[in-house]
Amino acid sequence: MIKKVLLILLLAAIVWGCGHKQYPAATGATNPIPTTPTPPFGIVHDTFFVKLPPVPLVPPATTNPIDSLLYDAHTAGTPNFNLRKPNFVIIHHTAQDSCGQTFYTFSITRTQVSAHYVICRDGTIHHLLNNYLRAWHAGNSKWGNVTDINSSSIGIELDNNGREPFPTQQVYALLNLLDTLKKTYNIPTTNFIGHADVAPTRKDDPSVFFPWKLLSTYGFGLWYDPIPQSLVVPEYFNSLEALRLIGYDTKDSVKAVIAFKRHFMQDTSRTMSESDKRILYTLYKKYI
């Protein structure tokens, strides 16, 4: 009798799980995330599935792994652990001409590159790698004091060659995915950033066409408030110091300025105008 009850419960759980939407639209928000266009936009396809093996108790051993303490006869395991939690989302454009090209690039070892998600132009989301695993998407990068972005982030690639606007259905799919990731991992609003933000000397993605302002209205990344005409930037204000406090690596000051202007002004000029400084000052006040 007990076996029959357990079997019924198991079947009910399977049916519920199959019908449960993995990436539901946000509800009750001030700015609810748009749910149109209709499917297939926002549907998730698991291109690769990685099953994590169970972690056994550590057996006694006479050898010592390079990153562990010496084992002895009294070594014991513990059930009190969990996987590392992603704390950043890094957004990229693929700089290729199709999702197929990107999947091929990610499938060969010599490229040494991958990402957790790829979103095609039609809004289809492909989940390539378990979110708790470390993808190779950010490379040599830095944001604030974090120098290993790959170990603490989820990488999202948007199928875009970098020279064209992002289709509406692709942006809608991204918004719904970001909503799920933010709620699942409690990712701070400020930690939704671009590849060029964390690697200003090497990268320019996502391009000037990317709608950062729209993302900010849904809680993904900061944006500056309307700037009153009366605002005067204090004479003591240091633009590079403000960029550093926001998170930018300012070792190459010119590239840091370009990355900032690409993100917030859709501009890639090398100098900070008075208008740019007013925007930076407003953002600096929000970050601190």
Side-chain angles (χ1 to χ4, degrees):
M1 182 64 182
I2 295 178
K3 289 184 178 180
K4 290 184 178 179
V5 172
L6 291 176
L7 180 60
I8 293 172
L9 291 175
L10 177 60
L11 291 174
I14 292 173
V15 171
W16 181 88
C18 291
H20 183 64
K21 293 183 178 179
Q22 187 174 4
Y23 297 102
T27 56
T30 304
N31 295 303
I33 291 173
T35 57
T36 56
T38 54
F41 310 133
I43 291 178
V44 178
H45 294 270
D46 286 324
T47 305
F48 299 104
F49 177 73
V50 180
K51 183 178 181 181
L52 296 178
V55 179
L57 296 179
V58 179
T62 56
T63 58
N64 177 36
I66 193 169
D67 63 345
S68 304
L69 297 175
L70 285 172
Y71 294 147
D72 58 33
H74 304 288
T75 298
T78 175
N80 304 319
F81 68 93
N82 52 20
L83 298 174
R84 295 181 180 182
K85 183 185 80 68
N87 197 46
F88 291 87
V89 171
I90 309 300
I91 299 173
H92 309 251
H93 68 239
T94 60
Q96 297 192 293
D97 294 320
S98 70
C99 272
Q101 287 185 5
T102 300
F103 297 147
Y104 175 74
T105 298
F106 288 172
S107 70
I108 52 180
T109 56
R110 62 180 171 81
T111 62
Q112 297 287 285
V113 64
S114 60
H116 295 90
Y117 296 90
V118 173
I119 304 180
C120 299
R121 285 172 171 83
D122 66 358
T124 302
I125 300 172
H126 293 267
H127 191 184
L128 274 65
L129 189 66
N130 187 293
N131 293 345
Y132 289 106
L133 297 180
R134 184 180 184 272
W136 300 346
H137 63 97
N140 184 15
S141 54
K142 184 176 186 289
W143 188 250
N145 293 324
V146 181
T147 56
D148 184 2
I149 300 295
N150 281 341
S151 290
S152 58
S153 66
I154 291 174
I156 301 176
E157 292 273 2
L158 302 176
D159 180 26
N160 184 287
N161 60 22
R163 303 183 301 275
E164 59 186 1
F166 295 83
T168 300
Q169 57 266 32
Q170 188 180 46
V171 175
Y172 283 179
L174 173 65
L175 288 171
N176 279 284
L177 174 56
L178 295 181
D179 183 62
T180 295
L181 296 178
K182 184 175 185 178
K183 292 175 179 177
T184 301
Y185 304 110
N186 195 27
I187 297 175
T189 296
T190 56
N191 289 2
F192 292 84
I193 47 184
H195 195 190
D197 296 317
V198 300
T201 63
R202 303 185 300 111
K203 297 296 181 178
D204 63 357
D205 59 311
S207 69
V208 293
F209 295 102
F210 189 73
W212 285 112
K213 183 178 180 180
L214 174 64
L215 262 67
S216 73
T217 64
Y218 294 103
F220 313 124
L222 287 189
W223 196 257
Y224 53 91
D225 298 323
I227 301 175
Q229 292 294 326
S230 58
L231 176 66
V232 177
V233 177
E235 292 184 4
Y236 62 80
F237 180 66
N238 185 317
S239 296
L240 285 182
E241 181 66 8
L243 286 174
R244 186 187 68 80
L245 290 174
I246 287 174
Y248 287 95
D249 183 355
T250 57
K251 288 182 179 178
D252 187 325
S253 58
V254 173
K255 293 297 179 64
V257 167
I258 292 174
F260 171 76
K261 295 188 67 172
R262 180 187 295 110
H263 186 126
F264 292 101
M265 294 85 164
Q266 289 71 55
D267 174 22
T268 55
S269 57
R270 294 168 169 260
T271 57
M272 294 282 288
S273 67
E274 287 304 314
S275 175
D276 296 338
K277 289 180 181 178
R278 285 154 59 91
I279 291 174
L280 175 58
Y281 180 70
T282 302
L283 280 165
Y284 160 78
K285 297 291 286 184
K286 292 184 74 170
Y287 270 88
I288 63 173

